[in-house]
Amino acid sequence: MASTPSPDDAAERRPAATRKVTRHRGEGQWAMGHFTPLNANEQSKKDDDGLNVRTRIETIYAHGGFDSIDPADLRGRMRWWGLYTQRKPGIDGGKTAILEPHELDDEYFMMRVRIDGGRLTTDQLRAIGEVSETYARGTADITDRQNIQLHWIRIEDVPAIWQKLEAVGLSTTEACGDCPRVIIGSPVAGIAQDEIIDGTWAVDEIHERYIGNKEFSNLPRKFKTAVSGSPVQDVVHEINDIAFVGVVHPEHGPGFDLWVGGGLSTNPRLAERLGAWVPLEQVPDVWAGVVGIFRDYGYRRLRTRARLKFLMADWGPAKFRQILEDEYLKLKLVDGPAPAEPTTRWRDHVGVHPQNDGRFYVGFSPKVGRVDGTVLTKLADLAAAHGSGRVSTTVEQKMIILDVAPDRVCTGIEYCKLAIVETKGRGQDLIADLEKRLPDFDQPISININGCPNACARVQTGDIGLKGQLVLNADGEQVEGFQVHLGGALGFQAGFGRKIRGHKVTADELPDYVERVLRNFEEQRTEDEPFAEWALRADEGALK
């Protein structure tokens, strides 16, 4: 792309209030009386609530095996219990869009373990490690929503896995599906020295009241929540359906600023402030009100337009707040200030940091979030040996050991059916390669690699975002490669990365390309200029 934004990019950055609304026909909104299902997914949810499939898994499918599973459960309702069929080995990326679902399905599952707030006890971490080793061929991936995903799960083993997880207070309930997904939270909630407000109670209360509750188990699409009282703003609140961001009201004190309507995928959109200050005790009710709006007014006609961000784009924050107050809360919210700019650009909590109780937390970075069952078990043992009974996961796929005494301080094409290119292994190789090529490079850089257009890895908001696709190499052969996004960022300078029109990078060229761009950055940056700012102003030639 040239340095001048394309019309599409300009539209993405244009305030929602100035966008032309062209929606006139029925969109399947329940609040408008449109209850007739308008697509197969909506019909399936009307036929049977996704939460009901657990009984069939335990009483029928675990005994009859993979072939006994009803297709509507297999590729739909089982997601409400954290289960996706995984990709059959040996199918290349070029087949992703042309094969039927049953042709892509392997007879194994990915299982997502739900970790609200990213909080784990060492007993819970050890249990996940043991499940990984016993039932998942040792696999374990930390996701950018603080969950842990396991692979190679057999349907026959699912009841035993649930029993093991639930015995230590974990679950897979609504880890996937058209429902409220995991609630991400600050991984250092309650212990950070600079915390504005601890949102732990709100995370727990929302989970206790509403997760697994059929009041919200049939939404138009998935619903993502973030709660953090950290001045670091460590939950990527800009790209969640709803986010509560710590802020101090000049009259009422610490509370949360309310954001609604963010999301990525193929139509990325940043969340918008409603201008409302929410006290801690009011967070669950406000959350339920926003989810209720999504359930009742959300667009159910086309799944590609069913996320809350599309409703927010059409309504705008003023109307959304009015409907929330008048129809759902039955009260007026307090007007509030915007949060201050984040105290740091980096939100991963890596390193050794003092807690507010005199102890320390230690953050570290598994490469591309990939660990295994043995490592998780050893981490639990290590944390316990250093006096800690708990750990956290972060939205940057990092882990943190909490409560260490001062004297003790010292998911890709392989499984995903939507993926076009491999990501995990390639990311690990790229890191190792760049460390050798650029041993003295000392600037913080995020490289987000995604195997398909669905933005699981947030390619639009990384310094260097790589979206997998099939490209032509110099010999005209179709090979794995990437579309490049450069200079994306979250925080007060939030924006989506710059795309260079027509520019693609093959997988084999990737290390050379990234090295070249980073060297150009080193040579051309001004003092204290971060990569994102440089990438948005640099000449196109420096980015190729």
Side-chain angles (χ1 to χ4, degrees):
M1 177 176 90
S3 56
T4 301
S6 70
D8 288 343
D9 290 334
E12 286 178 348
R13 297 173 185 269
R14 190 182 305 139
T18 68
R19 296 178 186 170
K20 182 179 179 181
V21 177
T22 59
R23 204 174 312 283
H24 297 296
R25 55 182 168 169
E27 294 291 339
Q29 296 165 281
W30 289 357
M32 304 298 197
H34 301 154
F35 292 103
T36 301
L38 297 174
N39 58 58
N41 295 90
E42 288 300 311
Q43 183 63 58
S44 179
K45 288 185 289 182
K46 182 177 181 180
D47 290 343
D48 191 27
D49 193 288
L51 292 173
N52 294 338
V53 76
R54 175 161 179 160
T55 299
R56 294 192 288 278
I57 292 172
E58 293 176 319
T59 62
I60 300 173
Y61 304 148
H63 302 281
F66 187 88
D67 290 338
S68 69
I69 304 173
D70 185 305
D73 287 342
L74 180 65
R75 300 181 193 95
R77 302 183 190 101
M78 290 177 71
R79 298 179 182 184
W80 272 248
W81 290 95
L83 293 164
Y84 278 93
T85 52
Q86 69 184 40
R87 185 191 193 93
K88 190 177 296 182
I91 300 176
D92 65 59
K95 302 286 182 60
T96 296
I98 61 176
L99 292 180
E100 294 297 322
H102 70 275
E103 296 177 291
L104 284 169
D105 289 336
D106 199 358
E107 294 189 0
Y108 297 92
F109 294 88
M110 179 275 283
M111 173 180 277
R112 184 175 293 157
V113 182
R114 182 179 183 125
I115 306 173
D116 290 277
R119 291 171 290 130
L120 288 167
T121 66
T122 49
D123 285 343
Q124 289 173 332
L125 185 62
R126 189 176 292 108
I128 295 173
E130 291 171 358
V131 167
S132 168
E133 289 298 304
T134 304
Y135 301 108
R137 301 188 186 181
T139 59
D141 290 333
I142 303 167
T143 77
D144 60 11
R145 292 199 63 79
Q146 299 182 295
N147 297 306
I148 293 180
Q149 293 182 172
L150 309 172
H151 297 276
W152 299 108
I153 300 297
R154 300 187 321 137
I155 191 63
E156 292 89 344
D157 297 326
V158 169
I161 295 172
W162 280 337
Q163 185 176 28
K164 178 80 171 177
L165 295 175
E166 290 168 1
V168 293
L170 291 171
S171 83
T172 66
T173 309
E174 294 187 324
C176 315
D178 295 351
C179 53
R181 304 286 186 91
V182 66
I183 306 162
I184 63 175
S186 174
V188 292
I191 64 168
Q193 287 188 334
D194 59 353
E195 187 171 50
I196 298 168
I197 185 170
D198 181 2
T200 301
W201 175 84
V203 173
D204 291 343
E205 191 69 12
I206 292 170
H207 187 280
E208 178 67 23
R209 292 189 200 177
Y210 301 114
I211 303 307
N213 185 328
K214 291 185 179 180
E215 182 178 358
F216 296 130
S217 61
N218 181 357
L219 302 178
R221 284 290 301 274
K222 57 189 173 184
F223 186 86
K224 296 184 176 183
T225 303
V227 180
S228 176
S230 170
V232 174
Q233 298 176 7
D234 49 7
V235 291
V236 292
H237 62 276
E238 306 94 331
I239 53 175
N240 279 270
D241 293 285
I242 185 172
F244 296 89
V245 182
V247 68
V248 177
H249 193 285
E251 298 177 17
H252 303 287
F256 296 92
D257 191 39
L258 179 59
W259 296 59
V260 174
L264 293 179
S265 194
T266 53
N267 290 282
R269 188 178 193 279
L270 296 173
E272 295 185 74
R273 297 182 58 240
L274 296 196
W277 177 86
V278 182
L280 178 65
E281 63 273 13
Q282 207 173 49
V283 168
D285 292 336
V286 172
W287 181 91
V290 173
V291 183
I293 289 176
F294 183 42
R295 177 196 60 204
D296 300 338
Y297 286 96
Y299 303 142
R300 294 175 181 263
R301 183 173 65 86
L302 297 175
R303 287 194 55 86
T304 54
R305 307 288 294 178
R307 289 292 300 275
L308 182 62
K309 61 186 176 183
F310 295 103
L311 180 65
M312 184 62 165
D314 287 351
W315 278 11
K319 179 177 179 179
F320 197 102
R321 178 173 171 176
Q322 179 186 353
I323 297 295
L324 174 64
E325 293 174 336
D326 294 351
E327 296 186 22
Y328 290 83
L329 298 178
K330 309 297 184 183
L331 57 82
K332 295 295 182 182
L333 295 169
V334 175
D335 291 339
E341 187 169 347
T343 54
T344 177
R345 180 168 173 263
W346 295 96
R347 313 172 176 196
D348 54 19
H349 302 290
V350 168
V352 179
H353 303 269
Q355 297 182 181
N356 57 16
D357 59 2
R359 293 180 291 181
F360 290 81
Y361 66 85
V362 182
F364 57 96
S365 178
K367 287 186 177 179
V368 298
R370 175 146 288 175
V371 287
D372 58 47
T374 300
V375 167
L376 293 180
T377 302
K378 289 181 177 178
L379 283 173
D381 294 340
L382 178 67
H386 284 74
S388 171
R390 56 189 184 140
V391 300
S392 293
T393 57
T394 83
V395 298
E396 306 293 342
Q397 297 178 286
K398 311 298 189 287
M399 293 195 74
I400 302 172
I401 296 177
L402 309 178
D403 308 326
V404 180
D407 61 350
R408 304 294 295 180
V409 173
C410 48
T411 291
I413 198 171
E414 188 173 1
Y415 302 115
C416 178
K417 296 183 297 177
L418 301 178
I420 300 167
V421 304
E422 202 280 329
T423 58
K424 292 287 189 179
R426 184 161 288 122
Q428 291 174 316
D429 292 343
L430 179 61
I431 293 169
D433 206 350
L434 291 175
E435 287 175 345
K436 293 177 183 178
R437 293 172 181 236
L438 301 167
D440 299 322
F441 188 88
D442 62 356
Q443 297 301 309
I445 296 290
S446 61
I447 302 177
N448 298 3
I449 308 177
N450 213 82
C452 77
N454 283 331
C456 303
R458 306 197 294 260
V459 295
Q460 301 98 327
T461 60
D463 286 314
I464 300 176
L466 302 167
K467 182 169 71 177
Q469 56 184 234
L470 297 178
V471 304
L472 297 180
N473 64 14
D475 298 323
E477 300 168 325
Q478 194 175 64
V479 297
E480 291 187 3
F482 299 92
Q483 180 188 66
V484 181
H485 299 244
L486 296 169
L490 296 175
F492 269 69
Q493 300 299 319
F496 300 125
R498 173 182 177 183
K499 291 178 284 188
I500 304 173
R501 191 179 303 278
H503 182 58
K504 307 291 190 298
V505 179
T506 69
D508 290 342
E509 295 169 337
L510 189 57
D512 290 340
Y513 170 73
V514 175
E515 178 189 7
R516 186 164 63 248
V517 170
L518 293 182
R519 288 193 185 278
N520 289 339
F521 166 59
E522 280 192 307
E523 293 173 2
Q524 300 176 12
R525 67 186 290 260
T526 61
E527 185 178 1
D528 297 328
E529 183 178 33
F531 181 89
E533 290 184 13
W534 170 81
L536 293 178
R537 71 165 178 82
D539 291 338
E540 188 172 297
L543 304 177
K544 288 187 175 180

